[in-house]
Amino acid sequence: MFSEVVPFYHYRRRARSGGCPKGDRERARRYRKVTRAKDIEEALLNSLDTAGFTEEWLQKNCVSFVSDGASVMLGKNSGVATRLTARYPNLFTWHCMNHRLELAVSDAVDEVQAVNHFKVFLEKIHNLYSQSNKNSRELLEAAQEVGSQVLKIGRVLSTRWVASSFRSVKAVWTSYEALNRHFENAAGDQTRSSKERQTYRGLARRMQSKEFLCDLGLMFDALSELANLSQQLQAHSVTLLRADHLLKRTIRVLASFKDTQGEKFEEALTAQALGHLGSVPLESNAKLTPINAKQFLQSLINNLVKRLSFDGEMLHDLSVLDTGNWPSTPGIRHVCIDSVPPLLAQDGNTT
């Protein structure tokens, strides 16, 4: 039910452009005034009531509330979570793990300036093909010339999930030769203006720089791990204990990249030494500031720990539910009501 109420702003934005289904447009009109915590709470409770969930039933069974980290949702003084907790005292509130992951990645991007330069360049490539059918057609023709594959290039490190950013980086890596050939062809196309040709020459120089290729390999490896974490956290079966395990695994892998290069970064270094990647010649470009791999990886690790790590006491409480910690042959000594963690005793049914 809550999924119909919270994303009202998405429905409104998409409805204005005519880019959402009729049902979504109707929902947008229904919740067009839902902009404050009080309004969201009222809309949520009305939606639940309409679906047949009575207040008496909710008092007994409403156990958790999960949302993004917007202040209107999780604000300490008057956010939706605070208002619902006042109504349902035993409610467990939680900031969505995937939203936390996006914030951690965004923090790392802000901390490492060279990553922003990388992001801007990929945005240029995205805009080049998303806004021109001619360019998209010419890219396919260039791919045929070099026998390369072309994948759709989307936005990177924007407001989309990190998995979307990974797909964009993967698309650039896969389409590398085709992109370079198209830039070279367009740079010599006399039907284009001199300004356009100059722009394409700049794009080709960037693609042919050893620095950019290594940055792309680094981002491929890092975003691959983060995308995997994001997708696993979205599984309906994931628990907080499982999420903590996945987070720690991802941190270990990212830390290992500081000492042992990831697969694509290693390929980029090999191409750098050879002086070419397939049909693309490579040379150093002194004007480019490469991403400091160890700095970026450490920034990712630090922000993942900061944004996603759980409270130690909470994990200790939740470990009671992990069947892996249960004795194989439990006896009467293993059952002690007094030892039930506070987090699990919130519903008052432990006596």
Side-chain angles (χ1 to χ4, degrees):
M1 256 69 69
F2 193 53
S3 63
E4 293 190 0
V5 181
V6 177
F8 69 94
Y9 41 86
H10 295 305
Y11 295 135
R12 289 182 65 190
R13 182 169 64 247
R14 293 171 61 197
R16 284 197 297 269
S17 63
C20 65
K22 181 179 179 181
D24 287 356
R25 291 197 293 273
E26 292 175 351
R27 260 193 294 268
R29 287 192 290 271
R30 189 188 315 167
Y31 298 120
R32 64 185 181 277
K33 296 182 180 179
V34 184
T35 58
R36 300 176 302 174
K38 178 182 177 181
D39 301 325
I40 295 174
E41 178 195 25
E42 182 180 350
L44 169 60
L45 294 176
N46 286 341
S47 179
L48 291 170
D49 181 65
T50 301
F53 295 94
T54 65
E55 179 64 20
E56 180 182 3
W57 189 92
L58 290 174
Q59 286 289 344
K60 294 180 180 179
N61 299 283
C62 191
V63 295
S64 66
F65 173 84
V66 181
S67 74
D68 62 21
S71 58
V72 71
M73 303 305 296
L74 296 181
K76 292 183 179 180
N77 295 323
S78 59
V80 175
T82 300
R83 299 178 67 87
L84 289 174
T85 302
R87 191 182 190 99
Y88 309 111
N90 293 324
L91 193 69
F92 176 73
T93 61
W94 192 250
H95 183 180
C96 170
M97 293 292 290
N98 262 302
H99 281 92
R100 292 195 201 192
L101 174 58
E102 297 305 312
L103 291 172
V105 174
S106 178
D107 290 344
V109 171
D110 290 341
E111 290 176 3
V112 184
Q113 189 62 35
V115 178
N116 269 309
H117 299 320
F118 174 86
K119 174 183 175 181
V120 169
F121 180 65
L122 262 63
E123 280 288 317
K124 288 182 180 179
I125 296 178
H126 164 72
N127 293 336
L128 195 68
Y129 297 107
S130 65
Q131 299 173 6
S132 171
N133 290 331
K134 176 185 176 183
N135 285 334
S136 297
R137 184 177 65 255
E138 290 179 348
L139 177 61
L140 292 175
E141 293 171 355
Q144 292 180 342
E145 290 179 29
V146 295
S148 174
Q149 185 180 1
V150 173
L151 298 181
K152 183 179 179 181
I153 301 170
R155 296 186 181 279
V156 63
L157 301 174
S158 61
T159 55
R160 297 172 181 267
W161 292 128
V162 69
S164 177
S165 292
F166 170 64
R167 286 193 294 271
S168 297
V169 168
K170 180 180 179 181
V172 174
W173 180 277
T174 303
S175 311
Y176 208 90
E177 292 184 72
L179 287 167
N180 179 72
R181 177 59 62 89
H182 179 227
F183 295 157
E184 287 187 326
N185 290 346
D189 185 356
Q190 296 303 313
T191 64
R192 297 179 182 270
S193 68
S194 59
K195 183 178 179 180
E196 279 186 293
R197 294 198 301 273
Q198 182 61 34
T199 297
Y200 282 104
R201 276 193 288 271
L203 292 172
R205 282 196 296 270
R206 187 69 174 260
M207 292 295 292
Q208 294 168 11
S209 68
K210 296 178 179 180
E211 292 80 6
F212 173 71
L213 179 62
C214 286
D215 288 349
L216 187 66
L218 170 66
M219 296 301 292
F220 190 113
D221 292 329
L223 289 176
S224 175
E225 291 300 323
L226 294 171
N228 184 48
L229 173 62
S230 176
Q231 291 169 338
Q232 289 181 309
L233 290 176
Q234 293 176 55
H236 289 295
S237 60
V238 73
T239 64
L240 292 182
L241 285 172
R242 175 62 177 165
D244 181 65
H245 171 77
L246 294 171
L247 171 63
K248 290 177 178 177
R249 176 203 168 278
T250 300
I251 289 175
R252 288 195 301 270
V253 173
L254 293 175
S256 73
F257 286 160
K258 294 186 342 184
D259 300 316
T260 305
Q261 292 87 6
E263 178 184 352
K264 296 303 180 183
F265 190 53
E266 187 173 3
E267 285 185 33
L269 291 175
T270 299
Q272 184 184 66
L274 293 172
H276 67 89
L277 178 68
S279 62
V280 183
L282 299 173
E283 58 183 22
S284 294
N285 187 335
K287 294 182 179 180
L288 295 183
T289 301
I291 299 172
N292 184 314
K294 290 188 177 182
Q295 179 191 12
F296 178 59
L297 291 168
Q298 189 58 52
S299 181
L300 280 175
I301 292 170
N302 292 344
N303 283 294
L304 286 173
V305 171
K306 176 183 175 182
R307 292 281 190 178
L308 281 83
S309 289
F310 302 138
D311 177 77
E313 183 177 350
M314 177 190 294
L315 285 177
H316 178 268
D317 290 352
L318 290 173
S319 66
V320 174
L321 299 177
D322 185 0
T323 56
N325 295 328
W326 294 1
S328 56
T329 54
I332 190 64
R333 289 176 298 174
H334 294 115
V335 182
C336 180
I337 297 299
D338 293 336
S339 66
V340 174
L343 179 64
L344 306 181
Q346 284 185 358
D347 63 1
N349 294 324
T350 58
T351 57

